[in-house]
Amino acid sequence: MTTAAPPTAAQSRASRNRARLLRTMLPALSMALILLAIAWLNPRAISYFGFSLMLNLAIPIALATIAQMFVITINELDLSIGTFVGFVGCVTATWLHDAPLLGALVLLASIGVYAGLGALIHLRNLPSIVVTLGMSFVWQGLAILLLPKPGGSAPDWLKGFMGLKVPFVPFPIVAAVVIALVVHFALMRSAYGTVLRGAGGNPQAIGRAGWSLLKTKVVMFAMTGLFGVISGMALIGITTSADANIGNGYTLLSIAGVILGGGEFVGGRVSPIGAVIGALTLALAASPLLTFMSIPPDWQVAANGVILISVLAARALISRKGA
Amino acid sequence: MPSFAKLFATPWIWSFLGALLVWLAAVIFTGGHGAGGMITAALSLAVFTVIVGLGQMFVVTLGPGNVDLSLPANIGLASAVAMKTMDGQDSLIALGLLAALACGVVIGLANYALIRVLRIPPIIATLSSSFIILSTDIHYGRGLQIKPPESFADFANVQILGFPILGLFGVALAVVAWAGLQRMVYGRSVLAIGQNMRAAKLAGIPVERVRMLTYTLSGALGGINGALLAGYFRGASVDIGNEYLLSSIAVVVIGGTSVAGGKANVPGIWGASLFLVLLLTMLNTFGVSAGLRLLLTGLIIVGVITAAGGHKTGR
């Protein structure tokens, strides 16, 4: 650069704010880009019916992404969320259908297991990656024991709920907005939500201020369990039957969704609205867009990788300019 | 001579004890039948985990957040590349191994480039690259039943006095890795970076070059592993490397390497790999179902990690 005068403080602050705004908007922008591509390739897809179809499976993915976001907020990672969703799916399609009380108890207990994991990881100072990797075997094993062959059937009320028809706006979009807003207000706007995020940003400070770090871990892992349960139930409500491997892909999708949505692995910097948008982007990009672009199925997984890399590249560019 | 107290204070001894324990349990169950065969089979199978475990160990030692999630996809692609290059001909074996190695090196370099250029956490970088590698593999190896040349497959199964030749290779590799870690500038640099990246940089260690080397090393080991696996199991496949995502990370941690970085342990990788393989052998001899086997494996891994405990350094 040849400019002689250094930028004034106000100027640099303005440019920093612009970069920050751009960064916040990035998840929405990438989704808009994907939607534009879809509209261009197949205008008929942009309709009530088209969105209902395209976003059909987006809701369980968004819920699993939110579940992952809770643990990422406190600098942990859950590599078992995919098999957990599968386990919940198997419970939903068998016990919750045949013996609702037992099914509900098992699901509640599994949330308790998550809370216990949070306590274990905190008290023994364990790496969450390894503990949850081990747990992914546990959930998958349980799912296979429960449902050795694909089958079972969803409770009718669940099928009815997931098949809900809302006038004008497709149900998946309504559900996505509700999920994003509820979690946004709970985590970003409430007093205890701030403490929870603080436990990821500066645990020492939160501890010295008198908050129990153990409790924050337990609460966040329990929330992950809760949203994992809802995700598994929503998934079975859509597919109507289960398979022990049904959720396996969700682990990586959920991590990718959180990061696409502007979240970071450390420091308690996450965005619930961004995470939901990130999940929808991945869901849209995963199959509808690729089908319209007639990309062979071989390369569909790669497309997720490319989208992830491009968004992160854009983010790196913006951050460098803003720095 | 080290005293017993000192021996038991070393973190890796526990993984070997664990391996011995599950082996004894299996042997007692079978009434002593196939005790030797079990060890021979375990030595062969453990080598594959050792190879990727060593790569993962160097990566993890670089410090918090460093992990290579692209290993399974890498192994899958390299297995296909090796088998296609060998084309079932004995004369092309060396070329095939080289091709698998080159494939792994390219993947490692690409991983590092993503981390460096995009400044993203290694977890996400290696995750996104694994998506692309997986697709490449599906496209490249689809619809082909690729078999290894006969002599390569035989070689991978050769035993010397009941000791599999692959096991010898694994031991040799571990010795080299130990020397590289403890006696070479490279290994000391990796440890230094893991302990404190800023201090390492100020001390004049070429941090970025060491990180690049480490990710490349992990990729290269993944590539070699892919070729050997395809030889051992007589064929390449897309999901041949799937189980190595968990096991490569698990052996690093069970073997006494710190997830917080800066502290690595080579013998522990062998102990932990034997432990995992013998654990599966034991559960198989007990005749438990697939679901129960997964459940018990998971519980035992979580149990071992809990017993081994974390280190006070945190993430």
Side-chain angles (χ1 to χ4, degrees), chain A residues 75 120 124-127 130-131 133-134 137-138 140-141 144-145 252 259 265 298-299 301-302 305 309 312-313 316 320, chain B residues 117-119 121 124 127 131 135-136 139 142 246 253 259 289 291 294-295 298-299 302 305-307 309-312 315:
Chain A
N75 305 344
L120 186 73
R124 297 285 295 157
N125 199 16
L126 303 175
V130 192
V131 175
L133 262 178
F137 277 58
V138 173
Q140 179 132 51
I144 292 177
L145 284 176
L252 300 184
I259 301 302
F265 278 120
D298 291 6
W299 294 102
V301 196
I309 292 174
L312 292 171
R320 206 164 299 177
Chain B
V117 177
L118 300 188
R119 292 199 217 158
I124 280 294
L127 175 64
F131 286 152
S135 268
T136 314
H139 181 74
R142 192 164 51 133
L246 172 92
V253 180
V259 206
S289 71
L294 283 167
L295 175 64
L299 285 177
V302 174
I305 300 290
T306 311
H311 306 281
K312 272 294 153 209
R315 262 174 70 116

Side-chain angles (χ1 to χ4, degrees), chain B:
Chain B
M1 232 176 86
S3 66
F4 272 111
K6 202 174 163 193
L7 192 63
F8 279 94
T10 49
W12 53 265
I13 198 79
W14 298 105
S15 53
F16 280 98
L17 279 179
L20 187 69
L21 217 64
V22 283
W23 175 70
L24 281 177
V27 170
I28 290 168
F29 186 81
T30 61
H33 289 291
M38 239 181 260
I39 291 198
T40 307
L43 278 171
S44 301
L45 277 175
V47 170
F48 302 116
T49 318
V50 168
I51 295 173
V52 280
L54 287 172
Q56 192 74 270
M57 181 197 76
F58 278 105
V59 171
V60 167
T61 307
L62 280 177
N66 282 293
V67 67
D68 187 353
L69 295 186
S70 70
L71 277 171
N74 178 357
I75 291 171
L77 181 61
S79 74
V81 166
M83 292 306 105
K84 265 201 171 178
T85 313
M86 289 183 194
D87 197 25
Q89 294 174 35
D90 291 349
S91 56
L92 294 173
I93 290 176
L95 195 67
L97 281 174
L98 267 180
L101 184 68
C103 171
V105 166
V106 169
I107 289 172
L109 282 173
N111 280 337
Y112 175 74
L114 285 176
I115 296 167
R116 179 94 170 105
V117 177
L118 300 188
R119 292 199 217 158
I120 51 180
I123 294 185
I124 280 294
T126 52
L127 175 64
S128 359
S129 74
S130 81
F131 286 152
I132 297 175
I133 302 164
L134 184 65
S135 268
T136 314
D137 187 18
I138 295 173
H139 181 74
Y140 178 77
R142 192 164 51 133
L144 286 166
Q145 183 61 36
I146 328 175
K147 286 227 175 300
E150 231 5 82
S151 58
F152 182 61
D154 290 343
F155 174 77
N157 288 292
V158 160
Q159 295 173 8
I160 301 168
L161 302 172
F163 199 87
I165 197 151
L166 273 178
L168 286 177
F169 173 70
V171 172
L173 195 70
V175 171
V176 172
W178 178 84
L181 181 75
Q182 303 291 356
R183 293 280 179 270
M184 279 170 61
V185 177
Y186 164 71
R188 307 306 297 182
S189 308
V190 170
L191 290 169
I193 293 171
Q195 279 154 23
N196 191 332
M197 190 155 146
R198 222 174 106 74
K201 198 175 263 171
L202 291 174
I205 292 173
V207 171
E208 290 308 329
R209 199 190 309 157
V210 172
R211 291 181 76 195
M212 182 178 79
L213 270 175
T214 306
Y215 278 94
T216 313
L217 178 71
S218 174
L221 287 171
I224 286 290
N225 205 33
L228 292 177
L229 271 172
Y232 188 79
F233 289 112
R234 295 177 187 268
S237 75
V238 172
D239 48 13
I240 199 166
N242 278 5
E243 64 175 288
Y244 294 98
L245 176 62
L246 172 92
S247 55
S248 70
I249 301 176
V251 295
V252 168
V253 180
I254 297 176
T257 295
S258 163
V259 206
K263 192 164 150 263
N265 195 312
V266 175
I269 300 280
W270 252 109
S273 303
L274 282 174
F275 171 69
L276 282 189
V277 170
L278 284 168
L279 180 65
L280 275 184
T281 317
M282 181 189 80
L283 294 176
N284 279 334
T285 48
F286 289 178
V288 298
S289 71
L292 200 56
R293 198 177 60 220
L294 283 167
L295 175 64
L296 290 173
T297 312
L299 285 177
I300 290 172
I301 287 177
V302 174
V304 169
I305 300 290
T306 311
H311 306 281
K312 272 294 153 209
T313 31
R315 262 174 70 116

Side-chain angles (χ1 to χ4, degrees), chain A residues 1-8 11:
Chain A
M1 291 297 242
T2 51
T3 44
T8 64
Q11 263 173 341

